[in-house]
């Protein structure tokens, strides 16, 4: 419970630091670059929580990372892509795809390893049966 509260405060701190970077007086409207920076910061915190969960074998930390990264992915789809066009939209979707593929790969390798999976069948396997 204390670790979860610490993560909430860390995420709030990251968010306020990004806001302060773009608006030192903490007023003003949101900018496009600011919105994208929020997404990158939140996804980084989510990956940090995932790595911590893998290192400490903590299911709670892994679930928190899934919520953070899933929420960030929804934010990218629903908000960030609305003001991007052309190659910026393509780059944003490609970056999101890389993040989600990395997440799936980490989960596949470290959370749900399958010892029975020996890869695709080869010609030798077909001859043996």
């Amino acid at each position: 419970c204390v670790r979860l509260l610490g993560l909430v405060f860390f995420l709030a701190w990251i968010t306020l630091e990004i806001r302060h970077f773009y608006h030192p007086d903490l007023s003003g409207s949101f900018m496009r670059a600011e919105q994208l920076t929020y997404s990158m910061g939140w996804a980084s915190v989510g990956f940090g929580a995932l790595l911590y969960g893998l290192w400490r074998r903590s299911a709670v930390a892994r679930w928190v990372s899934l919520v953070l990264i899933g929420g960030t992915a929804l934010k990218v789809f629903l908000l960030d892509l609305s003001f991007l066009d052309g190659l910026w939209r393509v780059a944003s979707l490609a970056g999101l795809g890389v993040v989600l593929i990395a997440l799936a790969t980490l989960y596949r390798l470290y959370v749900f390893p399958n010892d029975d999976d020996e890869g695709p069948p080869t010609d030798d396997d077909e001859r043996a049966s």
Side-chain angles (χ1 to χ4, degrees), residues 120-129:
T122 61
D123 289 338
D124 295 334
D125 293 336
E126 290 176 9
R127 284 186 220 137
S129 57

Side-chain angles (χ1 to χ4, degrees), residues 3-65:
R3 290 182 188 144
L4 188 59
L5 186 61
L7 181 66
V8 168
F9 281 131
F10 183 70
L11 189 61
W13 177 67
I14 292 290
T15 302
L16 287 173
E17 283 294 325
I18 293 170
R19 180 74 175 163
H20 183 261
F21 178 78
Y22 286 98
H23 304 284
D25 58 354
L26 298 178
S27 64
S29 61
F30 291 104
M31 299 167 36
R32 293 178 187 174
E34 181 181 3
Q35 290 292 334
L36 294 173
T37 308
Y38 285 134
S39 299
M40 289 186 287
W42 295 345
S44 298
V45 171
F47 259 106
L50 174 63
L51 294 176
Y52 176 80
L54 292 174
W55 176 55
R56 300 292 291 191
R57 299 188 189 275
S58 170
V60 173
R62 291 193 310 259
W63 277 104
V64 167
S65 74

Side-chain angles (χ1 to χ4, degrees), residues 53-127:
L54 292 174
W55 176 55
R56 300 292 291 191
R57 299 188 189 275
S58 170
V60 173
R62 291 193 310 259
W63 277 104
V64 167
S65 74
L66 280 177
V67 168
L68 279 172
I69 294 173
T72 302
L74 282 175
K75 178 190 173 295
V76 168
F77 275 120
L78 298 177
L79 183 65
D80 294 350
L81 291 179
S82 67
F83 57 78
L84 293 177
D85 54 343
L87 291 178
W88 287 109
R89 183 176 287 180
V90 171
S92 181
L93 281 173
L96 180 63
V98 166
V99 166
L100 294 177
I101 288 172
L103 176 73
T105 302
L106 283 174
Y107 261 83
R108 172 68 176 95
L109 291 175
Y110 297 108
V111 178
F112 303 115
N114 188 357
D115 296 334
D116 298 335
D117 189 15
E118 298 173 3
T122 61
D123 289 338
D124 295 334
D125 293 336
E126 290 176 9
R127 284 186 220 137

